[in-house]
Amino acid sequence: MPFYFRADDVPELAGLTRWEQRMLLRGTFIKERAISTLFLLIAVIGSVQFVINPLIEQFQPGMRTNSLSYVVALLAWLFLLMWLRDVIMMNVLRPKLAIKRAEMKRAADDAALAKVADAGQDHE
């Protein structure tokens, strides 16, 4: 199974606008997103405490006293981990995305058929 880094490359998201992709990825699978957010929080706290801070102290000892550069470094690390979490979740949820897309297509087809049926009844 291929691994994708961009939502535009995922076959299950093909043909959707950016907004539809975002809503499907972030607004549909709330339970999965909540669990992944907890893992993200643990990863951020653990990595800052045990990886980022020791590396900063080793290579740039005065960086933690300069709060602006330290905040920029921490925010960059957070955004990198968030992007990584989104990429992993996008690839893990591919089967569920396919099912959800099929449900959305079926609902749209049913609505179109109902609209045609209503227009036919109005015409008679």
Side-chain angles (χ1 to χ4, degrees):
M1 184 162 107
F3 192 83
Y4 299 100
F5 290 98
R6 295 182 52 229
D8 293 335
D9 298 335
V10 178
E12 290 81 4
L13 297 174
L16 295 176
T17 65
R18 244 333 151 185
W19 180 253
E20 291 169 333
Q21 289 175 354
R22 175 176 269 154
M23 291 305 296
L24 189 60
L25 286 171
R26 295 189 176 146
T28 304
F29 306 103
I30 301 298
K31 180 179 77 170
E32 292 85 351
R33 187 118 174 120
I35 292 169
S36 69
T37 301
L38 287 175
F39 283 118
L40 176 70
L41 179 65
I42 292 168
V44 167
I45 292 171
S47 64
V48 166
Q49 181 68 30
F50 299 111
V51 177
I52 300 296
N53 283 343
L55 286 174
I56 288 174
E57 286 302 318
Q58 182 178 0
F59 296 111
Q60 289 284 3
M63 185 176 181
R64 287 180 64 190
T65 58
N66 181 359
S67 61
L68 183 60
S69 61
Y70 184 62
V71 167
V72 168
L74 292 181
L75 283 176
W77 182 245
L78 173 66
F79 290 143
L80 177 71
L81 289 177
M82 286 173 60
W83 172 80
L84 185 63
R85 187 258 325 246
D86 288 344
V87 167
I88 291 170
M89 290 303 295
M90 176 178 60
N91 285 282
V92 167
L93 292 174
R94 281 184 60 207
K96 288 186 176 185
L97 288 170
I99 292 169
K100 189 66 175 175
R101 277 293 297 272
E103 289 174 0
M104 291 168 55
K105 184 172 177 6
R106 190 176 329 113
D109 290 345
D110 291 346
L113 286 175
K115 186 176 180 180
V116 168
D118 286 344
Q121 287 177 353
D122 291 340
H123 227 333
E124 293 174 4

